[in-house]
Amino acid sequence: EAQVTQNPRYLITVTGKKLTVTCSQNMNHEYMSWYRQDPGLGLRQIYYSMNVEVTDKGDVPEGYKVSRKEKRNFPLILESPSPNQTSLYFCASSLKRINNEQFFGPGTRLTVL
Amino acid sequence: GQQVMQIPQYQHVQEGEDFTTYCNSSTTLSNIQWYKQRPGGHPVFLIQLVKSGEVKKQKRLTFQFGEAKKNSSLHITATQTTDVGTYFCAGPGYGGSQGNLIFGKGTKLSVKP
């Protein structure tokens, strides 16, 4: 089944403890992206990747890192999480650029205490 | 910076009534996408509009792209309880980036049976 998977789905952590949220797609998509969703603010793009080894900042990249070593995987790294990073995170992928249908993962709800 | 604004933020309708959400961009868009997110779910692609003045229909849903390619609308005829969710529009970021996607804040639709 074609899908985007994220892990973990739920995570409660403490300030400053490094964490990684994994994202994987099995559709051979070139484009992958991370978003955060907060009440009243909609979806905001954190980082995106046009292809392997190519990443770029979205609208809210501060406090996040990403890597794209393989086409299928696009992990989101929080080196030193803070409470303002408590949010619902979505990974998405599309065949090529953003001018294609984006397939979203199920989401990761992160709470930073 | 570039903004994609959506109104209304909330809409409560009686089942059978029509519903419309509007999306306005501060800049001309090369295309616009629409997504639906059910409560507790992830965004799901509905459609992409590319041409000026384009109108597309999906059963009871009608999507329009403005002549100036700066605004768009989604109209649902005779709403059903299955239409409940948040509807987002999204357009490419301005400034040459080919990966930046900007979402409106969404319109949350509730349908009273």
Side-chain angles (χ1 to χ4, degrees), chain A residues 6-11 13 17-23 34 64-67 73-81 89 108 110:
Chain A
Q6 293 179 229
N7 282 291
R9 294 290 312 281
Y10 303 90
L11 179 61
T13 189
K17 187 176 181 181
K18 181 179 179 180
L19 66 93
T20 299
V21 183
T22 65
C23 173
W34 276 102
Y64 305 94
K65 286 175 58 178
V66 293
S67 69
N73 297 322
F74 190 45
L76 179 69
I77 304 157
L78 284 71
E79 294 270 4
S80 183
Y89 291 86
T108 294
L110 172 66

Side-chain angles (χ1 to χ4, degrees), chain B residues 17-80:
Chain B
E17 292 180 339
D18 292 356
F19 158 77
T20 305
T21 173
Y22 300 91
C23 185
N24 293 285
S25 170
S26 56
T27 60
T28 301
L29 300 170
S30 59
N31 66 81
I32 193 161
Q33 298 176 351
W34 285 92
Y35 292 81
K36 176 183 178 181
Q37 184 178 22
R38 294 182 187 274
H42 58 273
V44 174
F45 177 84
L46 294 175
I47 206 162
Q48 177 171 276
L49 305 172
V50 179
K51 299 177 183 176
S52 169
E54 189 170 15
V55 178
K56 286 189 175 180
K57 292 192 175 184
Q58 291 179 349
K59 297 183 180 178
R60 294 178 295 103
L61 278 61
T62 301
F63 303 85
Q64 293 188 324
F65 201 9
E67 293 290 342
K69 301 183 77 173
K70 294 181 73 174
N71 58 76
S72 182
S73 65
L74 158 59
H75 179 82
I76 302 179
T77 303
T79 54
Q80 300 175 358

